[in-house]
Amino acid sequence: MKSRWIIACTAVLTTAASTLLYATTAVATPVRYEAEAAPAACQGAIESNHPGYSGSGFCNGDNAVGAGVQFTVTASASGTATLAVRYANGTSVNRPADLLVNGAVVRPALALDATGAWPTWATTTLTVPVNSGSNTVRLSPTTANGLPNIDYVEVTTGGEPTPSPSPCAPPSTTAPPPPSRITVWLAGDSTVADPSGGAACPAGWGNQFAPYFTSNVTVRNSAMGGRSIQTWLYDPNVTGTTNPAGECVVNPVTYSARWQAMLDSTSGMKAGDYLLIQFGINDGTSTCPRHVGSARYQQLLTMMADAAKARGAHPVFLTPVAAISCSGGTAVGNRGFLTETNTAAAANGVPVIDLHRLSYTLYNTLRFCPFNGDYNAGPVGAFFCNDHTHFEAAGARQIAGVVAKALRDQSIPLAGYLK
């Protein structure tokens, strides 16, 4: 569905040199997307027990952080759209929510104030960026109270109407400006990292990521083999000692050179950049310095996401890529920290790519199982190093392609820079 404009241009003066056109009408029609109807997705219950709603009901979301409602809306062109959110909040307190468009937070902690009663509906209106075609719009509550009841969103695209009798703009003969140059920063372990010491194997998928992008993108791969999220952030200061909470002691609490480089105000992350983060393979080690507990893992993901956002960059979380592990003739999952990655993503309004699931799905598509444990022969030998974890360059290239496809499939705006 699209917002519709009715625009008429009439020739009012014609000379040998030019024809002057004027706009005579311009009417925009907003498109309504009901919260109770597909393709909207409500994390809660569809109810109709409070009057005044539109359609056949409304979304009563679960009372939990991140338990939101998501709409799939259509825009006729890239640019901005006017978004009207209709809701009812019968409590006495604000129920704020992050507003995400295509996985990126565009309005953190949007106020959804009390309306006085559940049958009393209010509308809040704001402007958001959209891509041409399909877009996801999500309201994700930031407190344990959850969302108010959500009735619908209305979307108007196409900009402001041209008032009559303003002249219609003549066709442009100037080429549009080129897309801005951005940097994609990668943080992760050996399954993401560049080969070290000139060796051909292992090669992480980050080493093969740049060819999927146009020349407007620079990929800076700062992944490092053998690192947990904490050792990547604090090398060489994570000790072998645990504190009373069972976490590795960091002393002194000073960032690694690789993280400091990303934070540098001159040469580090800048507005429009992206930070892709994939850990979770080494973090489950039982001993320090690599050990990271569940809560600490989420805390460090949050810290990295906040640092990117503070610089105008966009964080993206990835679950850890799967090794090759077969159950009979089927490749299966084998990594941890999946829940922690998804929980941190929901809590911080960060898009998450489930590379764990996508990678073992790829292995099944390629019919890797069974392979009899021989990593030197056949399609598995051309994909993996002589172990169950790391990739040859050809395998890394296919995993990088999986990540690139996920950017498109999930409408993450970075996909606009893909070839």
Side-chain angles (χ1 to χ4, degrees), residues 383-408:
F383 197 100
F384 286 93
C385 304
N386 192 23
D387 61 19
H388 66 288
T389 298
H390 297 104
F391 309 116
E392 299 273 3
R397 191 173 305 115
Q398 291 201 55
I399 297 296
V402 168
V403 177
K405 183 176 185 298
L407 293 172
R408 279 201 174 99

Side-chain angles (χ1 to χ4, degrees), residues 154-198:
E154 279 189 342
V155 181
T156 306
T157 59
E160 294 301 317
T162 304
S164 178
S166 299
C168 292
S172 174
T173 58
T174 303
S180 59
R181 295 192 60 85
I182 65 167
T183 299
V184 175
W185 305 81
L186 304 180
D189 52 39
S190 58
T191 61
V192 187
D194 292 334
S196 61

Side-chain angles (χ1 to χ4, degrees), residues 51 56 69 74 112 149 151 166 209 224 229 258 284 338 377 385:
S56 59
V69 57
T74 301
L112 298 171
N149 293 338
D151 188 13
S166 299
F209 202 36
M224 185 66 62
I229 188 172
R258 64 185 72 94
L338 309 179
C385 304

